[in-house]
Amino acid sequence: RRVHGVMSNDGGHRAADLMQYRHYIRPCRQYLDEYKACKSFYNQFYEIYVHGISSRDECRQWRSDNYDCIKIGNLPAFLRDGTGTVEEEDAAKSVIRSEMRRHYARLNTESENTVWTYRKEPMPEWQNELDERLAVPDDVVQLNQLCENLKSRSSNRCTIM
């Protein structure tokens, strides 16, 4: 069974499947920081104020991801060279599934947005020249280039007044 393209425990080449999703795994410290922020009084108050309830399930998921990340470490061997224990691979799959769920939930809220309309192409004036007030004068550009040349030749400082 696949969850958003990640293979489950019952088949496939585990390390090969994980290799393409390894960029989803964050450093373990980030999961701990997210868990602490989620459990904070400020966040709990905010959740109750805005949504009417506290989202304890989300905090549990950050905690679970932190434990799984600790199991696999920051740079697990199976993500570098395809070796690792079954427990490490299962923990990595759990973290990747969780990250993918967060990612797709965020994308779904963007696509279900009815307030803003998304552009299909850039605005017509996108490629226009800058207004004269915003453009950098040529003499300033030349002075900056001269300053860079002087800095590269010696350790003296170059200041343009």
Side-chain angles (χ1 to χ4, degrees):
R1 197 184 106 196
R2 292 179 183 263
V3 175
H4 296 294
V6 179
M7 294 207 52
S8 68
N9 297 337
D10 58 352
H13 297 82
R14 295 179 211 205
D17 292 331
L18 289 175
M19 290 295 284
Q20 63 184 344
Y21 298 109
R22 69 177 180 261
H23 62 278
Y24 277 100
I25 299 176
R26 306 179 193 188
C28 295
R29 181 67 189 184
Q30 287 185 8
Y31 294 111
L32 181 62
D33 290 343
E34 290 284 357
Y35 175 67
K36 286 180 179 179
C38 185
K39 294 289 283 184
S40 71
F41 174 77
Y42 172 79
N43 187 60
Q44 295 299 317
F45 180 77
Y46 175 83
E47 291 289 327
I48 292 171
Y49 182 78
V50 172
H51 302 291
I53 58 169
S54 175
S55 61
R56 296 277 178 173
D57 292 337
E58 185 68 25
C59 294
R60 277 183 249 158
Q61 188 59 52
W62 286 119
R63 183 178 176 193
S64 172
D65 289 345
N66 182 42
Y67 287 142
D68 287 337
C69 186
I70 290 169
K71 284 181 191 174
I72 59 176
N74 283 328
L75 293 171
F78 64 88
L79 290 180
R80 288 192 309 270
D81 56 17
T83 61
T85 65
V86 174
E87 183 178 303
E88 289 173 336
E89 292 172 4
D90 290 342
K93 284 180 186 177
S94 175
V95 172
I96 290 170
R97 283 187 190 113
S98 175
E99 286 294 329
M100 290 180 106
R101 275 189 224 107
R102 283 188 201 101
H103 177 75
Y104 287 117
R106 185 183 60 80
L107 289 179
N108 285 340
T109 58
E110 287 180 11
S111 63
E112 293 171 1
N113 181 5
T114 59
V115 176
W116 302 101
T117 56
Y118 291 99
R119 292 189 185 124
K120 305 256 188 289
E121 57 189 37
M123 301 182 318
E125 62 271 4
W126 184 262
Q127 297 294 330
N128 292 354
E129 293 291 323
L130 284 176
D131 188 5
E132 289 179 14
R133 296 172 291 152
L134 298 175
V136 177
D138 288 337
D139 56 342
V140 173
V141 172
Q142 291 172 355
L143 285 173
N144 283 335
Q145 289 173 349
L146 176 65
C147 183
E148 290 300 319
N149 288 339
L150 289 174
K151 282 182 185 177
S152 65
R153 288 188 211 160
S154 66
S155 62
N156 295 340
R157 294 181 181 237
C158 176
T159 305
I160 300 173
M161 310 274 281

Short mmCIF file of all heavy atoms in Angstrom, two decimals, residues 47-72:
data_model
loop_
_atom_site.label_atom_id
_atom_site.label_comp_id
_atom_site.label_asym_id
_atom_site.label_seq_id
_atom_site.Cartn_x
_atom_site.Cartn_y
_atom_site.Cartn_z
N GLU A 47 -5.11 28.48 19.45
CA GLU A 47 -5.95 27.46 18.82
C GLU A 47 -7.38 27.53 19.36
O GLU A 47 -8.34 27.42 18.59
CB GLU A 47 -5.38 26.06 19.06
CG GLU A 47 -4.09 25.79 18.34
CD GLU A 47 -4.27 25.64 16.84
OE1 GLU A 47 -5.33 25.15 16.42
OE2 GLU A 47 -3.35 26.01 16.10
N ILE A 48 -7.53 27.69 20.66
CA ILE A 48 -8.86 27.77 21.25
C ILE A 48 -9.56 29.05 20.82
O ILE A 48 -10.74 29.05 20.48
CB ILE A 48 -8.78 27.66 22.78
CG1 ILE A 48 -8.34 26.24 23.16
CG2 ILE A 48 -10.12 27.98 23.43
CD1 ILE A 48 -8.01 26.07 24.63
N TYR A 49 -8.81 30.16 20.76
CA TYR A 49 -9.40 31.44 20.39
C TYR A 49 -9.84 31.44 18.93
O TYR A 49 -10.93 31.87 18.60
CB TYR A 49 -8.39 32.56 20.64
CG TYR A 49 -8.92 33.93 20.33
CD1 TYR A 49 -9.78 34.58 21.21
CD2 TYR A 49 -8.56 34.59 19.15
CE1 TYR A 49 -10.28 35.84 20.93
CE2 TYR A 49 -9.05 35.84 18.86
CZ TYR A 49 -9.90 36.46 19.74
OH TYR A 49 -10.39 37.69 19.45
N VAL A 50 -9.01 30.94 18.04
CA VAL A 50 -9.29 30.99 16.61
C VAL A 50 -10.23 29.88 16.18
O VAL A 50 -11.20 30.10 15.46
CB VAL A 50 -7.98 30.95 15.79
CG1 VAL A 50 -8.26 30.81 14.31
CG2 VAL A 50 -7.16 32.19 16.05
N HIS A 51 -9.94 28.63 16.60
CA HIS A 51 -10.69 27.48 16.10
C HIS A 51 -11.72 26.94 17.08
O HIS A 51 -12.53 26.08 16.71
CB HIS A 51 -9.72 26.35 15.72
CG HIS A 51 -8.72 26.76 14.71
ND1 HIS A 51 -9.03 27.05 13.40
CD2 HIS A 51 -7.38 26.97 14.80
CE1 HIS A 51 -7.95 27.39 12.74
NE2 HIS A 51 -6.93 27.35 13.57
N GLY A 52 -11.67 27.38 18.32
CA GLY A 52 -12.63 26.92 19.30
C GLY A 52 -12.20 25.67 20.04
O GLY A 52 -12.79 25.32 21.05
N ILE A 53 -11.20 24.97 19.53
CA ILE A 53 -10.68 23.77 20.19
C ILE A 53 -9.16 23.78 20.09
O ILE A 53 -8.58 24.47 19.27
CB ILE A 53 -11.23 22.47 19.56
CG1 ILE A 53 -10.88 22.42 18.07
CG2 ILE A 53 -12.71 22.33 19.77
CD1 ILE A 53 -11.15 21.08 17.44
N SER A 54 -8.55 22.97 20.94
CA SER A 54 -7.10 22.83 20.90
C SER A 54 -6.75 21.62 20.05
O SER A 54 -7.37 20.56 20.17
CB SER A 54 -6.56 22.65 22.32
OG SER A 54 -5.18 22.41 22.27
N SER A 55 -5.76 21.75 19.18
CA SER A 55 -5.40 20.65 18.28
C SER A 55 -4.28 19.81 18.88
O SER A 55 -3.13 19.93 18.51
CB SER A 55 -4.98 21.20 16.92
OG SER A 55 -3.86 22.03 17.08
N ARG A 56 -4.63 18.96 19.84
CA ARG A 56 -3.65 18.10 20.50
C ARG A 56 -3.10 17.03 19.56
O ARG A 56 -2.00 16.56 19.73
CB ARG A 56 -4.27 17.43 21.72
CG ARG A 56 -4.69 18.38 22.80
CD ARG A 56 -3.52 18.71 23.64
NE ARG A 56 -3.93 19.68 24.66
CZ ARG A 56 -3.15 20.05 25.62
NH1 ARG A 56 -1.94 19.56 25.71
NH2 ARG A 56 -3.55 20.92 26.50
N ASP A 57 -3.91 16.62 18.58
CA ASP A 57 -3.44 15.58 17.65
C ASP A 57 -2.22 16.04 16.87
O ASP A 57 -1.31 15.26 16.63
CB ASP A 57 -4.56 15.19 16.68
CG ASP A 57 -5.69 14.46 17.38
OD1 ASP A 57 -5.44 13.89 18.46
OD2 ASP A 57 -6.82 14.46 16.85
N GLU A 58 -2.21 17.30 16.48
CA GLU A 58 -1.06 17.82 15.74
C GLU A 58 0.19 17.78 16.62
O GLU A 58 1.26 17.45 16.15
CB GLU A 58 -1.34 19.24 15.27
CG GLU A 58 -0.26 19.83 14.40
CD GLU A 58 -0.16 19.16 13.04
OE1 GLU A 58 -1.15 18.59 12.57
OE2 GLU A 58 0.94 19.21 12.45
N CYS A 59 0.04 18.09 17.89
CA CYS A 59 1.19 18.04 18.80
C CYS A 59 1.70 16.61 18.94
O CYS A 59 2.91 16.39 18.97
CB CYS A 59 0.82 18.60 20.17
SG CYS A 59 0.45 20.36 20.16
N ARG A 60 0.78 15.66 19.02
CA ARG A 60 1.20 14.26 19.11
C ARG A 60 1.98 13.82 17.88
O ARG A 60 2.91 13.03 17.98
CB ARG A 60 0.00 13.35 19.32
CG ARG A 60 -0.40 13.29 20.78
CD ARG A 60 -1.53 12.34 20.97
NE ARG A 60 -2.63 13.24 21.31
CZ ARG A 60 -3.90 12.99 21.19
NH1 ARG A 60 -4.31 11.86 20.74
NH2 ARG A 60 -4.80 13.86 21.53
N GLN A 61 1.59 14.34 16.72
CA GLN A 61 2.28 13.97 15.49
C GLN A 61 3.70 14.54 15.49
O GLN A 61 4.64 13.86 15.08
CB GLN A 61 1.50 14.45 14.26
CG GLN A 61 2.07 13.94 12.97
CD GLN A 61 2.09 12.43 12.90
OE1 GLN A 61 1.09 11.78 13.12
NE2 GLN A 61 3.24 11.87 12.59
N TRP A 62 3.88 15.77 15.97
CA TRP A 62 5.24 16.34 16.05
C TRP A 62 6.09 15.50 17.01
O TRP A 62 7.27 15.27 16.76
CB TRP A 62 5.20 17.79 16.53
CG TRP A 62 4.71 18.77 15.51
CD1 TRP A 62 3.61 19.57 15.60
CD2 TRP A 62 5.32 19.07 14.25
NE1 TRP A 62 3.49 20.34 14.48
CE2 TRP A 62 4.54 20.06 13.63
CE3 TRP A 62 6.44 18.61 13.58
CZ2 TRP A 62 4.85 20.59 12.38
CZ3 TRP A 62 6.75 19.14 12.34
CH2 TRP A 62 5.96 20.11 11.75
N ARG A 63 5.50 15.07 18.12
CA ARG A 63 6.24 14.26 19.08
C ARG A 63 6.63 12.91 18.47
O ARG A 63 7.77 12.46 18.63
CB ARG A 63 5.37 14.04 20.32
CG ARG A 63 6.04 13.27 21.41
CD ARG A 63 5.12 13.17 22.59
NE ARG A 63 5.72 12.34 23.62
CZ ARG A 63 5.08 11.88 24.65
NH1 ARG A 63 3.80 12.18 24.83
NH2 ARG A 63 5.68 11.15 25.54
N SER A 64 5.70 12.29 17.78
CA SER A 64 5.99 11.02 17.13
C SER A 64 7.08 11.18 16.06
O SER A 64 7.98 10.35 15.95
CB SER A 64 4.70 10.48 16.49
OG SER A 64 4.97 9.36 15.71
N ASP A 65 7.00 12.26 15.30
CA ASP A 65 8.03 12.52 14.28
C ASP A 65 9.39 12.74 14.92
O ASP A 65 10.42 12.31 14.39
CB ASP A 65 7.66 13.73 13.42
CG ASP A 65 6.50 13.45 12.51
OD1 ASP A 65 6.15 12.26 12.32
OD2 ASP A 65 5.92 14.42 11.97
N ASN A 66 9.41 13.40 16.06
CA ASN A 66 10.68 13.62 16.76
C ASN A 66 11.28 12.29 17.20
O ASN A 66 12.47 12.05 17.02
CB ASN A 66 10.47 14.54 17.96
CG ASN A 66 11.75 14.85 18.68
OD1 ASN A 66 12.78 15.10 18.06
ND2 ASN A 66 11.72 14.81 20.00
N TYR A 67 10.46 11.41 17.79
CA TYR A 67 10.97 10.10 18.22
C TYR A 67 11.46 9.28 17.03
O TYR A 67 12.50 8.64 17.10
CB TYR A 67 9.90 9.33 18.98
CG TYR A 67 9.65 9.86 20.37
CD1 TYR A 67 8.37 9.89 20.90
CD2 TYR A 67 10.68 10.32 21.17
CE1 TYR A 67 8.13 10.37 22.17
CE2 TYR A 67 10.45 10.81 22.43
CZ TYR A 67 9.18 10.84 22.94
OH TYR A 67 8.94 11.32 24.19
N ASP A 68 10.71 9.30 15.95
CA ASP A 68 11.13 8.55 14.75
C ASP A 68 12.41 9.13 14.17
O ASP A 68 13.29 8.39 13.71
CB ASP A 68 10.03 8.56 13.70
CG ASP A 68 8.88 7.66 14.06
OD1 ASP A 68 9.09 6.72 14.85
OD2 ASP A 68 7.76 7.89 13.55
N CYS A 69 12.54 10.43 14.19
CA CYS A 69 13.75 11.06 13.68
C CYS A 69 14.96 10.69 14.53
O CYS A 69 16.04 10.44 13.99
CB CYS A 69 13.58 12.58 13.64
SG CYS A 69 14.95 13.45 12.87
N ILE A 70 14.76 10.61 15.83
CA ILE A 70 15.86 10.19 16.71
C ILE A 70 16.26 8.75 16.41
O ILE A 70 17.44 8.41 16.43
CB ILE A 70 15.46 10.37 18.19
CG1 ILE A 70 15.38 11.86 18.51
CG2 ILE A 70 16.43 9.67 19.12
CD1 ILE A 70 14.74 12.17 19.85
N LYS A 71 15.28 7.91 16.08
CA LYS A 71 15.59 6.52 15.74
C LYS A 71 16.48 6.43 14.51
O LYS A 71 17.36 5.58 14.44
CB LYS A 71 14.31 5.74 15.47
CG LYS A 71 13.52 5.36 16.68
CD LYS A 71 12.29 4.57 16.24
CE LYS A 71 11.32 4.39 17.38
NZ LYS A 71 10.08 3.74 16.92
N ILE A 72 16.22 7.28 13.53
CA ILE A 72 17.00 7.19 12.28
C ILE A 72 18.21 8.10 12.29
O ILE A 72 19.12 7.92 11.48
CB ILE A 72 16.12 7.51 11.05
CG1 ILE A 72 15.52 8.90 11.12
CG2 ILE A 72 15.07 6.46 10.87
CD1 ILE A 72 14.74 9.31 9.91
#
